[in-house]
Amino acid sequence: MNDEQVKDLLERFQAGACSDLELEKVRYWLHKFREDEQSGLSQIDLETIDDQMWQRILKATQPKTVRMIRWPLRVAVSAASIIIILGVFIYFFTKDSSYKTYANDVDPGKNTAVLILSDGKKINLLNAKNGLLALQSTTQITKTEEGEIIYTSRNELPPLQNGGKSSYSGISNTIRTPRGGQYKLSLPDGTKVWLNAASSLTYPISFDWLKERRIELSGEAYFEVAKDKLRPFLVQSKTQTVEVFGTRFNISTYSDDQFTNTTLLEGSVLVNQVTLKPGQQAVNSGTAIKVNVVDPNDVIAWKDGEFSFRNEPLQNIMKKISRWYNVDVVYQNKEAGKQIFGGTISKYGKISQILHMLELTGDVKFKVEGKTITVL
């Protein structure tokens, strides 16, 4: 927004003609200009905004219900290498109809995946009935009412071969989520895994006769690993091996992303022999690992039903939106993909809600045609 747009908002406020969203913009921008002398928007005479008017603005923009979505936005002006804070605080009410809508709005993703058994049989977990899905060796696979897959051991044991090892110890299953899908499962050792959209996980049907619990991941997953001092838990992906003994962590290793990110919430892990502490993230380029301090809650927000971005380029944000809403993204304005945004919003609304909030900055526009989003 420029000086004239802000001045126009102020005039509309004085005339009592502002909408709820415009009131929030008034509140943010005036606060920004009063506090930040480096804003560069010097044409606005802030001395004319006395304390009485400021209190009117604060009172007029109080939330009307308890539901609030906070969406601060940052836009990077790369040509001048300057970060301009554009934060906007917007309150959405349960009966608010001010969202911009598109003729071809898109529904969010859902709990769906395909379980591929070791013999090649495929089970569509969206349509599969609750209860027993399959029996494999000493393991039974069940689907709960909550839509979770659980592996549990049966009492009877198969005959041992090859020097005391089970003939089933090398059998593995795979679970795959499509774009627009996610799923939760419990592995045979009790480890819980949340699998994000467009991801796959391959794992043994039993760890009983194995010296280590090694699984393979493509895409993104959050893990709560069951403790086992005798058998380390290892996650293999395209550029790394993560070794843990019992901890909580997230790995994002999509094939179309430049980096593999491993974020530790609790415990300790080794990422290609690099040790992480809670609150640290290993960023693996394939040739080197850089360790950053992050807020893990932002990283795992997807598991808890939210999009949470912290100083991310729009092109990264749109990748996540593309995977969850199963849409394609094209750029008419390629420079828009470099802009930096941040904020939090539920991922269970229609795609128009996400795009509308991004458009409120005034620096990016979208067009929705079928399952294609065009960044204008």
Side-chain angles (χ1 to χ4, degrees):
M1 294 179 67
N2 56 34
D3 286 4
E4 292 303 319
Q5 290 173 316
V6 175
K7 291 168 69 176
D8 178 66
L9 271 179
L10 183 57
E11 291 174 0
R12 287 176 58 80
F13 172 78
Q14 292 173 309
C18 278
S19 68
D20 288 333
L21 296 183
E22 288 174 327
L23 284 174
E24 279 302 325
K25 289 186 179 182
V26 168
R27 181 180 182 177
Y28 173 75
W29 283 106
L30 293 185
H31 179 78
K32 171 67 180 172
F33 298 155
R34 284 165 67 100
E35 299 295 329
D36 187 0
E37 296 179 356
Q38 305 300 320
S39 64
L41 301 175
S42 57
Q43 298 178 22
I44 298 177
D45 183 5
L46 297 179
E47 297 300 324
T48 63
I49 307 173
D50 57 23
D51 289 338
Q52 185 177 3
M53 181 178 179
W54 182 244
Q55 291 302 317
R56 284 177 55 211
I57 294 170
L58 292 177
K59 184 177 181 180
T61 54
Q62 290 300 309
K64 298 179 181 178
T65 73
V66 297
R67 184 172 182 231
M68 180 184 77
I69 297 175
R70 181 175 179 270
W71 188 258
L73 300 135
R74 296 177 182 265
V75 174
V77 183
S78 57
S81 300
I82 300 173
I83 302 291
I84 301 177
I85 303 255
L86 289 181
V88 180
F89 294 83
I90 304 167
Y91 298 92
F92 287 92
F93 313 120
T94 55
K95 295 184 179 180
D96 186 4
S97 59
S98 58
Y99 278 124
K100 176 180 177 180
T101 58
Y102 299 88
N104 299 302
D105 214 343
V106 181
D107 290 328
K110 51 193 173 184
N111 288 332
T112 181
V114 174
L115 177 63
I116 305 173
L117 303 182
S118 56
D119 60 4
K121 180 182 178 181
K122 296 182 179 180
I123 301 174
N124 185 326
L125 298 178
L126 179 64
N127 300 326
K129 294 182 179 180
N130 299 333
L132 184 65
L133 295 180
L135 294 174
Q136 293 178 293
S137 178
T138 63
T139 301
Q140 63 182 18
I141 309 170
T142 57
K143 178 185 176 183
T144 69
E145 292 182 359
E146 292 75 27
E148 176 184 355
I149 294 301
I150 297 179
Y151 283 74
T152 53
S153 295
R154 299 156 59 202
N155 292 329
E156 65 269 21
L157 297 176
L160 298 184
Q161 302 174 4
N162 303 323
K165 292 185 178 180
S166 168
S167 59
Y168 295 92
S169 60
I171 297 176
S172 295
N173 290 347
T174 298
I175 184 170
R176 291 177 180 168
T177 55
R179 295 205 308 170
Q182 63 180 19
Y183 220 85
K184 180 183 177 183
L185 69 151
S186 292
L187 297 177
D189 65 335
T191 292
K192 296 185 180 300
V193 184
W194 286 256
L195 203 60
N196 206 350
S199 303
S200 69
L201 191 73
T202 300
Y203 48 91
I205 64 169
S206 174
F207 297 112
D208 289 346
W209 294 276
L210 302 176
K211 294 181 179 180
E212 60 185 22
R213 298 171 288 167
R214 183 181 292 269
I215 64 175
E216 297 180 12
L217 171 68
S218 174
E220 184 170 23
Y222 166 75
F223 297 86
E224 293 183 354
V225 177
K227 296 183 183 299
D228 186 338
K229 294 182 179 180
L230 299 179
R231 288 172 294 191
F233 191 93
L234 298 102
V235 183
Q236 186 75 47
S237 58
K238 59 182 180 180
T239 59
Q240 66 183 35
T241 300
V242 177
E243 181 177 352
V244 303
F245 284 90
T247 186
R248 299 191 298 133
F249 62 99
N250 191 90
I251 300 178
S252 180
T253 179
Y254 286 102
S255 59
D256 58 345
D257 283 346
Q258 183 179 359
F259 302 103
T260 292
N261 297 327
T262 304
T263 308
L264 182 64
L265 284 82
E266 179 184 282
S268 179
V269 301
L270 289 175
V271 183
N272 288 359
Q273 302 306 309
V274 175
T275 302
L276 291 187
K277 298 179 180 179
Q280 291 184 332
Q281 181 181 80
V283 181
N284 188 349
S285 66
T287 58
I289 294 178
K290 179 181 179 180
V291 177
N292 297 326
V293 176
V294 299
D295 183 346
N297 293 320
D298 288 339
V299 176
I300 67 166
W302 66 267
K303 177 186 76 73
D304 299 321
E306 292 183 329
F307 286 113
S308 185
F309 310 118
R310 184 72 64 93
N311 298 331
E312 287 194 55
L314 180 64
Q315 59 189 6
N316 289 1
I317 294 173
M318 295 308 294
K319 277 186 180 181
K320 296 176 182 180
I321 291 173
S322 171
R323 292 170 187 145
W324 179 238
Y325 285 91
N326 189 20
V327 295
D328 297 318
V329 178
V330 296
Y331 290 85
Q332 181 175 310
N333 177 9
K334 294 184 178 180
E335 289 301 312
K338 300 177 182 179
Q339 297 187 56
I340 306 299
F341 294 84
T344 301
I345 187 174
S346 170
K347 71 175 191 177
Y348 289 110
K350 290 183 179 293
I351 201 170
S352 60
Q353 297 182 12
I354 308 285
L355 302 182
H356 176 62
M357 295 187 75
L358 291 170
E359 284 189 343
L360 284 173
T361 64
D363 291 273
V364 63
K365 298 292 181 183
F366 301 96
K367 180 172 64 175
V368 181
E369 295 178 309
K371 301 286 282 187
T372 299
I373 310 298
T374 302
V375 182
L376 304 175

